[in-house]
């Protein structure tokens, strides 16, 4: 699709990725390939819906009506094969916001919460900000792929853990957990009475022929201990419109969650987020299928090129547009690694240590950009290593 080939100038659009380059990387000539948004325009149906809404010209208080809810229900059913009910839905500006609310609503100060490291940076803040205790279940890294250490996970659960934040698909390592893996997690959560807060914002970005499974879809009993956090933001590049939702089948858990939102003063979605969400889920399927093929191709290009022309290795992934690069062969510490990519390669990536000490030898690359930009970034890295 031409929409994925066109280079759009995002500078001077208040873009976090492009307009903060000098502030973050101390140089204007660093190519930004870090924060998780895409350099692609949203589906045309989304843009046209937003234009039509803008042409109306009145932006009063907005409701999330049955049409919006139906677009979500139909999308989840068709794409993820999970039948949900409209009353299970709660709305939020973002998944991280929902996690903050859920931790406050469903756990108590000093409660232990498990995360699987290396993992998405805000998870640490979500726990620590509310005086909860981080418990790490470190992922196992073998044969260039990450696996869950179930023996350790059970040992952690035995320590009176209250909740488990699941990252599915996992950011930054790119794993889409299999049914067997999810069933083992579910079994342990039931055995030790652990709540599941499941961040599934990348659910739609599994590579072709890889099926994302929502852990709450495994059984009614698992659904009743799970808050599933989703959004169209990563899928359709709508992060700036701040529209996400939680799926909570358990009525008591949902009541507590929504009460916490009310306490914090959050009430529904903004007008444009509402409009974009509905349009994306109703009309964005063909666009998404082509995007997934493109992302898989980009991932394979990065992996094959870096591994054949350098000693870097790329973690085996099943989806997302985030590539986890093992840079241990460079023999640099965490700060030295970041400095090398910023100052020598002139490519702005996420430093792996931001995801936990387990990521100190890694860097995270965003590959959701036109192929020419991707190739430029890869070639800069290769040239810097050769130099």
């Amino acid at each position: 699709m031409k929409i994925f080939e066109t280079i759009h100038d995002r500078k001077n659009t208040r873009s976090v990725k492009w307009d903060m380059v000098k502030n973050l990387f101390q140089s204007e000539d660093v190519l930004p390939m870090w924060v998780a948004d895409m350099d692609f325009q949203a589906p045309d149906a989304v843009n046209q819906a937003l234009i039509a809404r803008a042409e109306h010209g009145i932006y009063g208080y907005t409701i999330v009506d049955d049409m919006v809810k139906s677009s979500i229900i139909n999308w989840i059913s068709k794409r993820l094969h999970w039948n949900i009910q409209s009353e299970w839905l709660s709305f939020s500006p973002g998944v991280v916001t929902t996690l903050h609310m859920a931790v406050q609503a469903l756990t108590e100060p000093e409660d232990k919460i498990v995360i699987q490291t290396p993992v998405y940076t805000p998870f640490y803040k979500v726990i620590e900000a509310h005086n909860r205790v981080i418990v790490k279940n470190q992922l196992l890294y073998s044969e260039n792929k990450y696996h869950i250490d179930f023996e350790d996970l059970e040992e952690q659960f035995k320590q009176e853990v209250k909740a488990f934040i699941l990252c599915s698909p996992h950011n930054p390592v790119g794993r889409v957990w299999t049914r067997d893996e999810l069933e083992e997690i579910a079994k342990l959560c039931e055995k030790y009475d652990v709540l599941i807060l499941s961040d599934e914002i990348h659910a739609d970005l599994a590579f072709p022929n890889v099926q994302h499974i929502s852990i709450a879809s495994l059984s009614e009993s698992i659904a009743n201990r799970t808050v599933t956090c989703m959004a169209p933001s990563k899928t359709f590049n709508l992060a700036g419109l701040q529209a996400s939702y939680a799926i909570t089948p358990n009525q008591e858990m949902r009541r507590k969650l929504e009460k916490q939102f009310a306490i914090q003063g959050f009430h529904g979605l903004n007008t444009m987020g509402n409009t974009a969400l509905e349009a994306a889920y109703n009309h964005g399927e063909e666009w998404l299928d082509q995007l997934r093929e493109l992302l898989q191709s980009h991932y394979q290009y990065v992996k094959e090129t870096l591994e054949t022309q350098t000693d870097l290795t790329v973690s085996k992934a099943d989806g997302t547009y985030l590539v986890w690069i093992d840079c241990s062969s460079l023999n640099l510490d965490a700060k030295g690694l970041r400095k090398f990519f910023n100052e020598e390669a002139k490519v702005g990536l996420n430093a792996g240590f931001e995801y936990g000490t387990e990521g100190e030898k890694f860097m995270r690359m965003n590959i959701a950009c036109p192929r020419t930009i991707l190739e430029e970034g890869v070639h800069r890295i290769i040239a810097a290593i050769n130099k």
Side-chain angles (χ1 to χ4, degrees):
M1 284 179 79
K2 196 170 183 179
I3 195 170
F4 300 129
E5 299 170 2
T6 304
I7 297 177
H8 300 279
D9 184 359
R10 297 184 61 192
K11 294 180 180 178
N12 302 312
T13 63
R14 301 189 178 96
S15 164
V16 169
K17 180 188 286 185
W18 288 90
D19 288 328
M20 292 185 67
V21 168
K22 188 171 183 179
N23 288 342
L24 293 171
F25 304 109
Q26 289 74 55
S27 175
E28 293 279 10
D29 58 353
V30 170
L31 183 65
M33 305 182 75
W34 63 291
V35 70
D37 69 13
M38 298 190 277
D39 290 327
F40 305 132
Q41 288 186 339
D44 189 58
V46 172
N47 295 327
Q48 292 304 314
L50 291 171
I51 290 169
R53 187 64 188 82
E55 287 177 342
H56 182 262
I58 300 174
Y59 311 106
Y61 295 112
T62 301
I63 60 171
V64 180
D65 60 13
D66 288 340
M67 293 177 66
V68 174
K69 293 177 182 178
S70 292
S71 70
I72 296 170
I73 292 167
N74 293 338
W75 182 265
I76 298 295
S77 175
K78 186 172 185 180
R79 302 293 299 196
L80 305 181
H81 313 299
W82 180 23
N83 295 320
I84 66 170
Q85 299 176 22
S86 62
E87 59 265 28
W88 296 354
L89 294 169
S90 306
F91 294 87
S92 164
V95 164
V96 173
T97 301
T98 301
L99 290 173
H100 275 283
M101 297 298 113
V103 165
Q104 294 177 83
L106 303 175
T107 70
E108 299 293 336
E110 306 300 332
D111 277 350
K112 296 176 182 177
I113 301 177
V114 170
I115 56 175
Q116 295 181 306
T117 56
V119 75
Y120 184 46
T121 308
F123 285 9
Y124 297 89
K125 297 176 183 177
V126 161
I127 299 169
E128 293 174 329
H130 307 295
N131 197 28
R132 275 61 169 176
V133 178
I134 293 174
V135 177
K136 291 186 177 183
N137 170 230
Q138 183 176 340
L139 296 175
L140 300 174
Y141 186 57
S142 63
E143 298 182 353
N144 204 27
K145 185 175 182 178
Y146 282 89
H147 308 270
I148 296 172
D149 186 342
F150 285 108
E151 184 176 339
D152 177 72
L153 183 61
E154 182 164 18
E155 288 302 312
Q156 303 300 347
F157 280 0
K158 287 178 180 179
Q159 309 305 314
E160 297 184 350
V161 161
K162 177 66 175 181
F164 169 49
I165 303 181
L166 173 65
C167 198
S168 177
H170 195 282
N171 174 10
V173 309
R175 279 297 317 279
V176 176
W177 305 119
T178 65
R179 180 176 292 275
D180 287 345
E181 289 169 318
L182 293 170
E183 286 179 344
E184 185 64 22
I185 291 172
K187 182 177 75 174
L188 291 174
C189 287
E190 286 194 301
K191 181 177 180 179
Y192 295 99
D193 192 23
V194 175
L195 298 175
I196 304 170
L197 309 179
S198 188
D199 173 0
E200 301 187 21
I201 198 169
H202 294 278
D204 295 315
L205 297 174
F207 291 154
N209 302 317
V210 177
Q211 179 63 52
H212 170 82
I213 300 169
S214 291
I215 192 167
S217 71
L218 295 179
S219 69
E220 184 177 350
S221 61
I222 291 302
N224 276 319
R225 67 172 60 250
T226 303
V227 177
T228 304
C229 305
M230 291 185 170
S233 53
K234 303 302 180 190
T235 309
F236 298 105
N237 209 24
L238 307 177
L241 294 177
Q242 297 188 317
S244 80
Y245 52 92
I247 305 170
T248 316
N250 183 304
Q251 184 177 8
E252 181 62 18
M253 287 171 58
R254 187 171 65 252
R255 184 192 66 79
K256 290 180 179 179
L257 179 62
E258 292 179 345
K259 181 180 179 180
Q260 189 63 42
F261 271 108
I263 290 171
Q264 300 295 337
F266 289 111
H267 302 283
L269 302 181
N270 71 73
T271 301
M272 291 309 198
N274 212 13
T275 300
L277 182 153
E278 181 183 18
Y281 282 160
N282 284 341
H283 306 291
E285 195 164 16
E286 181 181 356
W287 182 96
L288 175 59
D289 286 340
Q290 294 187 53
L291 172 68
R292 291 168 68 215
E293 291 182 6
L294 178 86
L295 294 179
Q296 185 177 47
S297 172
H298 279 194
Y299 166 77
Q300 291 171 340
Y301 164 77
V302 172
K303 182 174 177 62
E304 291 169 6
T305 306
L306 289 181
E307 291 184 350
T308 55
Q309 298 189 38
T310 74
D311 289 330
L312 304 181
T313 56
V314 173
S315 177
K316 294 178 182 177
D318 311 299
T320 83
Y321 52 78
L322 304 169
V323 174
W324 191 236
I325 305 172
D326 184 346
C327 305
S328 55
S329 63
L330 297 179
N331 295 315
L332 297 170
D333 62 18
K335 290 183 179 179
L337 196 57
R338 180 167 62 178
K339 183 177 180 180
F340 171 79
F341 278 90
N342 292 355
E343 299 180 10
E344 301 296 327
K346 297 291 185 180
V347 178
L349 308 183
N350 288 101
F353 69 81
E354 296 172 355
Y355 305 89
T357 56
E358 302 83 357
E360 287 182 347
K361 298 294 184 180
F362 292 79
M363 298 292 284
R364 191 188 79 165
M365 172 186 278
N366 179 345
I367 61 171
C369 56
R371 184 62 169 254
T372 51
I373 292 179
L374 181 69
E375 291 177 354
E376 171 66 19
V378 171
H379 290 156
R380 287 188 185 194
I381 293 169
I382 294 170
I385 292 173
N386 290 339
K387 181 180 177 182

